[in-house]
Amino acid sequence: MTFGRIQHHPVLGTLADRKQLSFQFDRKIYTAYESETIAAALLANGVRTLRVQEEHGTPRGIYCNIGHCFECRVTVNGEQGKRACLTLVEDGMAVLSGVQFPTPFKKGGHQHD
């Protein structure tokens, strides 16, 4: 699928053919290309939400895409906290989005031991 991928750049020229890979994101299979980051592959496949904010559940996606922020944290092959913008896709890798954690506080009051 080429949706969202630049195939010809006015300065860089035509991108060389690269090996096609497949990977999972939240148990759904997507296509990527060799030397592509998880973030780039997901964007090219139309995926914009990579996780939800742990406490409130608000959606998070790619913010800086250069490794400065931590908005694109995902779990890669069981390892939590990997930044999708810095991690290259590997054939067959399993990526999971971040989820909302249960809150330790009760609504309207404090939890006591």
Side-chain angles (χ1 to χ4, degrees), residues 11-66:
V11 174
L12 301 174
T14 301
L15 296 177
D17 288 335
R18 295 177 287 167
K19 180 181 175 185
Q20 192 170 340
L21 309 171
S22 65
F23 71 105
Q24 290 183 33
F25 181 68
D26 287 344
R27 295 175 178 80
K28 184 176 176 185
I29 297 176
Y30 291 95
T31 300
Y33 290 95
E34 194 172 46
S35 77
E36 197 167 52
T37 64
I38 295 169
L42 290 172
L43 282 172
N45 281 283
V47 176
R48 299 293 181 263
T49 301
L50 302 183
R51 66 181 189 92
V52 294
Q53 199 272 343
E54 293 85 348
E55 186 177 351
H56 302 290
T58 53
R60 297 291 192 253
I62 297 167
Y63 183 69
C64 76
N65 206 26
I66 58 172

Side-chain angles (χ1 to χ4, degrees), residues 70-91:
F70 289 82
E71 291 300 317
C72 66
R73 293 186 317 267
V74 292
T75 299
V76 178
N77 295 331
E79 187 177 342
Q80 293 180 334
K82 300 293 282 185
R83 285 178 280 182
C85 70
L86 297 178
T87 307
L88 296 179
V89 173
E90 295 176 4
D91 198 37

